[in-house]
Amino acid sequence: MKKNIVAFFDIDGTLYRDSLLIEHFKKLIKYELIDSREWSEHLENTYKNWEKRQGNYDDYLHEISDQYVEAITGLEKSFMDFASDQVIKLKADRVYKYTRSRIKWHQSQGHIIIFISGSPDFLVERMAKKYKVNDYIGSAYEYIDGKMTGDVIPMWDSESKNKAIDDFIQKYSINMDASYAYGDTNGDFDMLKRVGHPIAINPSRELLFKLSEDSSFRNRTKIIVERKDVIYQLNTDVIHIEDDCNK
């Protein structure tokens, strides 16, 4: 039986330049669907620290995700859908040139393209439709009787993504050795490691540590850094991580 080549894409920080969840959070506040106090002073400081590169990306995102879940609990799903449509309408083109071009390349090759993201599934679904990819999975935000319950089935950790990939392998009969994966954080590590062609996009410090500790994985991984209008491909042999940039 012929096996298919697949390209797995994370979204936040890999395709999209920031976090879809944060954009959705801001739209809910902008349109007064939730109280602006939900974006607390502490959360604002967390966000600003990350923008100034003074914090850990995973810690920052988890803290904001927890606050987001609390803020949307009990909210009408119709309000969530309205804000989601606004995110896609106004922000969905804010993507990396490199990753967008790779999606087009995989489509031209007839590869199956799958989005695997920790972002809410209703946002991942909309991004999947916009970029005409074959399949997707995101964190499942549950609702009952048209209202958000606050219950979430996550898709931002390696364990969850591994389970999703196992399901996709069965669904599409995937040749993992010939397949591709694109990710940027520690949560993407196992996804990247499982394919023959892993590509780390603007990798986080934690992901670079993982690369530095695994020589066989490091030697087959491409590191891509996109800044302004320039795309760099870095040699993994030059990975060097300082705890303090002033050393």
Side-chain angles (χ1 to χ4, degrees):
M1 180 176 64
K2 180 182 177 182
K3 292 192 174 183
N4 294 304
I5 297 175
V6 167
F8 297 101
F9 284 84
D10 171 55
I11 294 180
D12 294 340
T14 301
L15 171 63
Y16 188 65
R17 289 179 175 268
D18 203 329
S19 162
L20 289 175
L21 181 149
I22 290 174
E23 292 294 348
H24 193 255
F25 203 161
K26 290 180 175 180
K27 289 291 182 287
L28 289 170
I29 293 171
K30 176 181 178 180
Y31 297 112
E32 299 183 347
L33 301 173
I34 60 175
D35 196 302
S36 62
R37 287 174 295 183
E38 298 290 356
W39 187 271
S40 66
E41 181 179 348
H42 178 66
L43 207 58
E44 181 72 17
N45 288 336
T46 300
Y47 182 63
K48 287 180 178 178
N49 284 340
W50 167 246
E51 284 192 316
K52 293 184 288 188
R53 300 304 187 262
Q54 294 177 351
N56 177 291
Y57 178 83
D58 289 332
D59 291 344
Y60 133 83
L61 195 55
H62 287 159
E63 183 176 350
I64 288 181
S65 297
D66 289 344
Q67 187 77 13
Y68 173 81
V69 170
E70 183 177 335
I72 67 171
T73 299
L75 194 66
E76 295 282 348
K77 185 177 180 295
S78 59
F79 294 167
M80 298 287 287
D81 289 340
F82 171 78
S84 299
D85 291 340
Q86 294 304 306
V87 169
I88 300 304
K89 178 182 178 180
L90 301 173
K91 298 291 186 176
D93 290 319
R94 191 170 178 262
V95 297
Y96 288 109
K97 291 171 58 178
Y98 174 81
T99 323
R100 182 177 57 205
S101 70
R102 293 301 291 174
I103 289 174
K104 291 180 179 178
W105 181 80
H106 286 295
Q107 289 169 332
S108 74
Q109 299 302 303
H111 298 162
I112 294 168
I113 302 173
I114 299 173
F115 284 172
I116 299 185
S117 174
S119 283
D121 51 359
F122 45 83
L123 292 170
V124 177
E125 177 185 16
R126 286 167 168 81
M127 287 291 281
K129 288 180 179 178
K130 177 176 176 61
Y131 287 96
K132 297 181 174 63
V133 306
N134 303 89
D135 214 334
Y136 69 91
I137 189 168
S139 296
Y141 284 70
E142 297 181 349
Y143 60 92
I144 296 176
D145 297 329
K147 291 188 176 182
M148 308 306 295
T149 67
D151 292 328
V152 183
I153 302 172
M155 190 53 60
W156 49 68
D157 59 285
S158 285
E159 183 178 353
S160 298
K161 289 189 176 183
N162 264 331
K163 174 62 169 61
I165 289 171
D166 289 339
D167 292 341
F168 284 127
I169 289 172
Q170 292 297 316
K171 183 176 181 179
Y172 291 106
S173 185
I174 299 172
N175 180 348
M176 293 298 283
D177 289 337
S179 290
Y180 299 73
Y182 300 80
D184 69 314
T185 67
N186 199 37
D188 300 317
F189 175 73
D190 285 345
M191 178 180 77
L192 292 167
K193 193 171 182 181
R194 292 185 66 173
V195 300
H197 304 284
I199 300 97
I201 311 291
N202 298 323
S204 67
R205 184 172 177 273
E206 293 77 17
L207 181 55
L208 285 176
F209 265 125
K210 289 276 192 177
L211 276 171
S212 68
E213 293 170 350
D214 189 327
S215 59
S216 63
F217 176 48
R218 182 176 68 244
N219 291 338
R220 60 189 173 85
T221 301
K222 287 184 180 179
I223 296 178
I224 301 295
V225 175
E226 182 173 330
R227 289 291 180 268
K228 297 182 179 178
D229 59 348
V230 181
I231 298 169
Y232 307 87
Q233 180 173 326
L234 306 182
N235 189 325
T236 55
D237 291 336
V238 303
I239 293 177
H240 179 69
I241 304 167
E242 289 280 5
D243 288 334
D244 185 343
C245 292
N246 293 321
K247 286 183 179 179

